[in-house]
Amino acid sequence: MAKSDPPFTIGVEEEYLLVDRDSLELAEAPEALMIACKADLEGQVSPEFLQCQIEIGTRVCANVAEAREDLKRLRSTVAKHAASHGLAPIAASCHPFAEWKKQHHTDKARYNELRRDLGGVVRRMLICGMHVHVGIDDPDTRVDIMNQLTYFLPHLLALSASSPFWQGEDTGLASYRLTVFDNLPRTGLPPRLNSWSEYDRSVQALVDIGVIEDSSKIWWDLRPSSRFPTIEARICDVSPRLETTLSLAALIQSLSRMLWRLKSANQRWRIYDNFLVAENRWRAQRYGIQGGLIDFGKREMVDFEYLTEELINLVREDAEALGCIEEVEGARRILVSGTSADRQRMVYADSLQAEKSIDEALRDVVRHLIEDFHADQ
């Protein structure tokens, strides 16, 4: 690889909910749990906005194989220390039956400011996500790839969907998380940007006015990272299964390289207006992989089996160069087993079929999510 080529390093952040192993209800992280996790994981673990949440982040990884080993270590360490307190982590974007009004936010300056600045909407943030960073050194290249990668965000959301339930009800959505998150300012699809300087000027305008202190308060589905020379894909629900996380990360990394490869050949992916991409975003949020997405070039609806094969073939050359073709092809497994949202609904339906109460069926879903957390480790 030439020195001018982007490194395409990868980093993954995941947010988990902590549940009581007996009641299966949300539980606040004891201080001793956070101390033990921080001692083992140093700077790779932190509290989140709510006291029932915990966040982990991999190191900067050269490839998906490195990310796999780091995520295994992070997940197993959190699970081990949680178990010593009678707790278990679940990697789902919404807890099936918890009530957001009963949760408390973490007493840290950053979170206290969020509570003050965002008012009542931030109290409903009982949601977890997964963020993937891809290393691209040149700022203008980051912006150019972001503009094109936006087209694929609905595909990634559909494959990751893990939040069908909210406060004890089936919402009818595959990803209810976004319904909550989109109430915050500076969220949703990123605007089309002409250059890094345009982005920087826009951010600085809000900073100078005092609306935000820095770009970390811009929460688009895809953004230039505020801390690293990376693009940060934030569209995905967090995935219970490790291998699903890795397939999504590999797709994001490979798509980034594919778009850079096109740029290097004086080509590019067609950029569609956000009005159109948002329609696919909604379809992914509503149906997951059970409904198709619109192919705007063909002007027709395309089912997810076709879309997944199209994605794999589109990035095959890049996935092979990055050493993650196995993980990219692993997206086919999601079609076979269903998304987490699909599996949660199946567990719920099976429990009701067995004449269990709605309450017990929802607790069976949580038991399933605990098992899924350990499925690939």
Side-chain angles (χ1 to χ4, degrees):
M1 184 178 284
K3 288 184 179 179
S4 59
D5 294 353
F8 297 110
T9 51
I10 194 167
V12 180
E13 299 167 348
E14 292 186 314
E15 297 161 351
Y16 309 139
L17 294 168
L18 293 170
V19 299
D20 183 277
R21 280 188 168 273
D22 294 325
S23 70
L24 304 171
E25 296 179 357
L26 286 178
E28 296 181 355
E31 184 178 357
L33 167 60
M34 292 306 305
I35 290 172
C37 286
K38 287 180 178 179
D40 282 352
L41 302 176
E42 299 176 345
Q44 290 185 264
V45 65
S46 63
E48 248 298 330
F49 177 70
L50 294 176
Q51 293 179 13
C52 57
Q53 294 174 300
I54 188 168
E55 179 179 13
I56 59 89
T58 68
R59 301 185 179 99
V60 178
C61 299
N63 49 51
V64 173
E66 283 188 17
R68 171 183 281 104
E69 294 309 309
D70 210 14
L71 277 170
K72 279 184 178 180
R73 181 178 62 88
L74 292 165
R75 282 184 167 222
S76 63
T77 301
V78 170
K80 176 184 70 175
H81 290 305
S84 69
H85 294 275
L87 307 178
I90 59 172
S93 281
C94 294
H95 185 281
F97 61 85
E99 297 181 40
W100 59 265
K101 290 182 179 180
K102 295 183 178 180
Q103 309 309 313
H104 302 100
H105 79 280
T106 302
D107 187 16
K108 287 179 62 176
R110 171 180 169 80
Y111 299 133
N112 291 337
E113 289 171 7
L114 281 176
R115 175 69 183 271
R116 183 195 66 222
D117 293 345
L118 298 175
V121 296
V122 80
R123 290 190 59 209
R124 297 178 66 240
M125 289 286 288
L126 185 55
I127 55 175
C128 293
M130 186 262 282
H131 307 157
V132 177
H133 292 258
V134 178
I136 300 171
D137 292 331
D138 179 64
D140 280 317
T141 301
R142 289 205 291 277
V143 168
D144 190 39
I145 288 178
M146 269 183 55
N147 286 334
Q148 300 172 74
L149 186 56
T150 296
Y151 177 85
F152 298 98
L153 294 177
H155 302 65
L156 299 166
L157 173 61
L159 290 165
S160 72
S162 72
S163 48
F165 295 100
W166 178 253
Q167 296 202 120
E169 294 185 0
D170 187 332
T171 65
L173 275 65
S175 174
Y176 192 76
R177 160 184 153 264
L178 282 192
T179 303
V180 178
F181 196 70
D182 285 349
N183 282 288
L184 299 185
R186 302 176 295 279
T187 55
L189 296 171
R192 181 174 179 177
L193 300 165
N194 293 314
S195 65
W196 175 264
S197 60
E198 179 187 23
Y199 169 72
D200 195 45
R201 283 195 305 272
S202 298
V203 171
Q204 197 58 46
L206 294 183
V207 172
D208 291 345
I209 295 166
V211 175
I212 58 175
E213 65 269 22
D214 56 47
S215 62
S216 69
K217 295 295 177 64
I218 293 171
W219 297 304
W220 298 330
D221 296 339
L222 178 67
R223 70 178 184 183
S225 171
S226 62
R227 295 184 294 161
F228 310 113
T230 65
I231 56 173
E232 181 185 359
R234 303 165 50 84
I235 187 69
C236 293
D237 276 8
V238 67
S239 299
R241 293 181 178 176
L242 174 64
E243 290 303 322
T244 302
T245 295
L246 295 168
S247 285
L248 292 163
L251 279 169
I252 293 165
Q253 184 191 35
S254 299
L255 282 165
S256 300
R257 187 184 187 278
M258 181 273 292
L259 296 171
W260 167 81
R261 176 165 53 84
L262 290 180
K263 174 183 171 67
S264 301
N266 290 319
Q267 299 173 342
R268 65 190 296 106
W269 195 262
R270 181 173 176 179
I271 298 175
Y272 290 92
D273 190 275
N274 274 3
F275 170 73
L276 295 176
V277 179
E279 192 65 29
N280 269 344
R281 185 183 187 263
W282 160 249
R283 291 191 61 80
Q285 184 180 351
R286 170 68 174 87
Y287 302 109
I289 62 172
Q290 301 306 321
L293 298 182
I294 304 166
D295 185 316
F296 294 110
K298 296 178 179 178
R299 291 179 176 266
E300 64 183 35
M301 199 73 68
V302 180
D303 67 43
F304 235 90
E305 184 175 357
Y306 178 89
L307 288 171
T308 302
E309 290 302 319
E310 185 178 54
L311 265 182
I312 292 170
N313 290 327
L314 187 64
V315 303
R316 183 175 298 280
E317 174 184 337
D318 307 282
E320 288 174 346
L322 294 166
C324 61
I325 186 62
E326 184 177 341
E327 287 80 9
V328 163
E329 291 182 338
R332 294 188 183 114
R333 288 196 301 269
I334 301 173
L335 299 182
V336 174
S337 65
T339 64
S340 175
D342 297 326
R343 296 194 304 276
Q344 288 178 53
R345 284 190 168 117
M346 285 190 285
V347 170
Y348 181 73
D350 288 346
S351 295
L352 293 181
Q353 185 68 28
E355 299 185 349
K356 294 186 179 181
S357 68
I358 290 175
D359 179 72
E360 190 56 33
L362 289 166
R363 291 175 197 278
D364 282 347
V365 175
V366 180
R367 293 185 183 96
H368 157 76
L369 289 169
I370 293 172
E371 292 172 3
D372 249 9
F373 188 87
H374 299 281
D376 300 319
Q377 298 182 57

